[in-house]
Amino acid sequence: MDSAEHLQLIYVILAAAAATFLTRIGGYVLIMQMKRIPPRMEAALNAVPAAVLSTLVAPAFFSGDLDVAAAMLVALAVGLRFSSLWMLLAGWLAVMAIRHFVI
């Protein structure tokens, strides 16, 4: 990698850092200027973690191997009834069992 490529990489990293900072601080500034958060906005903000998690998990479910999809289904079933710790433990045990006994 020559010095021009290094410089270009540094510019890309700085631009990504600036974009990340501005998007995060922009939301904070917007919320702080409101005296009261409207109920619809509060409901939308409460749904963000589930939406982000779905975005991260869905590609692995549909393009991953059978062990990953089965572990996610087991984790989903356990997560509907028990706490997050049990859900994570069940998903981990499922993928380990499938990889050890089936694949």
Side-chain angles (χ1 to χ4, degrees), residues 72-87:
M72 287 181 183
L73 290 175
V74 169
L76 174 67
V78 172
L80 291 174
R81 177 87 172 118
F82 299 102
S83 70
S84 298
L85 180 63
W86 291 111
M87 178 185 71

Side-chain angles (χ1 to χ4, degrees), residues 38-57:
R40 285 186 176 216
M41 181 179 276
E42 187 173 350
L45 290 174
N46 287 335
V48 167
V52 170
L53 185 61
S54 299
T55 303
L56 295 174
V57 170

Side-chain angles (χ1 to χ4, degrees), residues 67 92-103:
D67 57 341
W92 178 77
L93 285 174
V95 76
M96 288 296 123
I98 292 169
R99 286 181 181 174
H100 184 73
F101 294 113
V102 178
I103 298 176

Side-chain angles (χ1 to χ4, degrees), residues 5-85:
E5 289 176 344
H6 280 278
L7 194 59
Q8 184 179 13
L9 183 61
I10 289 172
Y11 287 147
V12 168
I13 291 171
L14 290 175
T20 301
F21 176 76
L22 290 174
T23 55
R24 290 181 183 225
I25 197 72
Y28 177 75
V29 169
L30 181 68
I31 293 291
M32 292 306 292
Q33 295 201 357
M34 294 180 170
K35 293 181 179 158
R36 184 176 159 270
I37 298 175
R40 285 186 176 216
M41 181 179 276
E42 187 173 350
L45 290 174
N46 287 335
V48 167
V52 170
L53 185 61
S54 299
T55 303
L56 295 174
V57 170
F61 182 81
F62 289 108
S63 65
D65 292 332
L66 176 66
D67 57 341
V68 174
M72 287 181 183
L73 290 175
V74 169
L76 174 67
V78 172
L80 291 174
R81 177 87 172 118
F82 299 102
S83 70
S84 298
L85 180 63

